[in-house]
Amino acid sequence: MDYTDLYINGEWRKGAAGVRFDVLNPATEEVLTSVASAEIDDAAAALDAAEAAFADWAGRTPRERSEILRKAWELMTARLDDFARLITLENGKARADAMGEATYAAEFFRWFAEEAVRADGMITRAPASGARIVVQHKPAGIAVLVTPWNYPAAMGTRKIAPALAAGCPVIIKPASETPLTMLALMPLLEEAGVPKGLVNVLPSKNTGPLVDHLLHDPRVRVVSFTGSTGVGRKLLHAAADNVLKPAMELGGNAPFLVFEDADIDAAVEGAMLAKMRNLGEACTAANRIYVHEAVAEEFTTKFTQRMGELKLGNGLDAGVDVGPLVNAATRDKVAAFVSDAVSKGAELRLGGQVPNRPGYFYPPTVLFNVPSHADCVQDEIFGPVGAIQTFDDEDDVITRANDTEYGLVAYVFTGEMGRGMRICERLDYGMVGLNRGLVSDPAAPFGGTKQSGLGREGGHEGMLEFMETQYISASW
């Protein structure tokens, strides 16, 4: 079956307005297929379905919910190749990268299958009155999930799994660039035993009005969004009208600090992972690489060599490391960042030219001695460009690293653990990779500070985002 319609109440629907939109292959710029576009009437139907499914699902035992999530993990793990191929087709990332995402995405079902039975409360006695203080966690209600295009599988499962574990029904609005992976997940969830109406998927080109309508329905109690800070602010404004619980994973501008006592080879490999995972199209991507001047040339030479070894091409082709960016606008923005940096004095060590070929390709690029006023230092690059600056003082580089409105993730490479922990504590970021280029893990609370968001995804905290804490004062 071709899963390209809306998915509401366990059924595939054409959409109330009969409108469809095209999904492109970014490696060829050709149309993969067309997908139904949801409108307000479709949102109303999804809300009705979610409301009808809520009471039964919330009333099931944690173990029942856990077993269904566990089954979803088993089924997805058995079909990783299929999901990886679909991710590559609509997103562009290389097949190996897509396989990594599919594996990571499936893991959220396993993790939250285990957390579903651990919504622990407590009973204590009030010191003054002697009353019993009973605290428990209850499912909050219908959750609206808005997911981005850069991880079309993982950003969905990272929200769906904790919501279902908590006892909540969901309505998902996937990015219009990459709706196919989330739609393809629905038959798998059916097979796992997820009841009708519990998970609904509304791809749409009319995103703003559609999501606004959902957030203003009194039955909705949670909104979870991953995407840009600008869009996140708008959703927070809309969520305020109904005082919704917000979980926002927003933009980043990650600093990557390499100190003079670091293992340079390990730092280079860490930078490759932090920079080139998902072609740099990630809020966690290393955006500003600060290297101590004593090791700056060694690091830059080795990093440039590794970047130059990467093969550019269609992500489905064997041996390809770097696929296309997701669309023309993203590619053109990356190209503009590089041109701006070079015009302001940055040294181009590698890449920097848009290939003359179909597809939204941009080559691995290295910039050295990038000035602090370059646009790529002030904003997310979201592409395969390593922007390197140097430093010679610990206090100075920490100040520079913190000098941004964002606070999602930072990376630190140093040979002394005590120094590393001291630096981590001074960095104003929700997550830090210490001698690691990867921080994402289903078992860890993912999220940022400042303009990088509210709440956490993953870990035990991820499930609590979809629950309300209830306190009962009791005497017996």
Side-chain angles (χ1 to χ4, degrees), residues 2 157 169 200 207 234 339 418 421:
D2 184 18
T157 61
N200 306 275
T207 299
K234 293 178 181 179
S339 296
M421 291 301 296

Side-chain angles (χ1 to χ4, degrees), residues 241-258:
D241 290 338
N242 273 348
V243 196
L244 304 184
K245 280 177 64 90
M248 298 276 157
E249 195 268 282
L250 308 178
N253 187 356
F256 188 100
L257 281 57
V258 182

Side-chain angles (χ1 to χ4, degrees), residues 288-452:
R288 298 167 289 150
I289 302 176
Y290 298 108
V291 187
H292 194 280
E293 60 184 21
V295 294
E297 190 56 45
E298 179 187 0
F299 175 91
T300 302
T301 298
K302 291 181 175 180
F303 180 66
T304 302
Q305 179 179 346
R306 288 283 286 112
M307 290 281 276
E309 293 169 352
L310 300 177
K311 181 180 178 182
L312 187 75
N314 189 318
L316 293 178
D317 294 342
V320 167
D321 303 296
V322 180
L325 297 172
V326 72
N327 53 35
T330 300
R331 178 201 59 199
D332 294 345
K333 183 178 180 180
V334 171
F337 276 141
V338 173
S339 296
D340 171 78
V342 172
S343 72
K344 291 174 179 175
E347 177 186 342
L348 183 64
R349 290 285 185 98
L350 180 73
Q353 297 295 324
V354 176
N356 183 20
R357 59 181 294 176
Y360 309 123
F361 291 94
Y362 198 85
T365 296
V366 178
L367 300 168
F368 185 59
N369 277 333
V370 179
S372 294
H373 63 288
D375 291 344
C376 67
V377 175
Q378 303 299 321
D379 200 357
E380 285 186 285
I381 299 171
F382 241 64
V385 178
I388 300 173
Q389 297 180 293
T390 64
F391 70 92
D392 63 1
D393 179 77
E394 180 179 308
D395 291 337
D396 172 64
V397 75
I398 291 173
T399 298
R400 289 159 66 186
N402 286 334
D403 186 20
T404 174
E405 68 179 2
Y406 301 106
L408 186 60
V409 61
Y411 303 91
V412 176
F413 277 76
T414 176
E416 183 186 339
M417 184 58 66
R419 179 191 205 186
M421 291 301 296
R422 181 180 71 247
I423 292 167
C424 289
E425 291 173 1
R426 295 179 64 191
L427 291 169
D428 192 3
Y429 290 83
M431 302 176 290
V432 182
L434 178 55
N435 292 328
R436 286 181 56 82
L438 177 65
V439 298
S440 301
D441 193 298
F446 186 104
T449 63
K450 298 187 287 186
Q451 299 293 306
S452 287

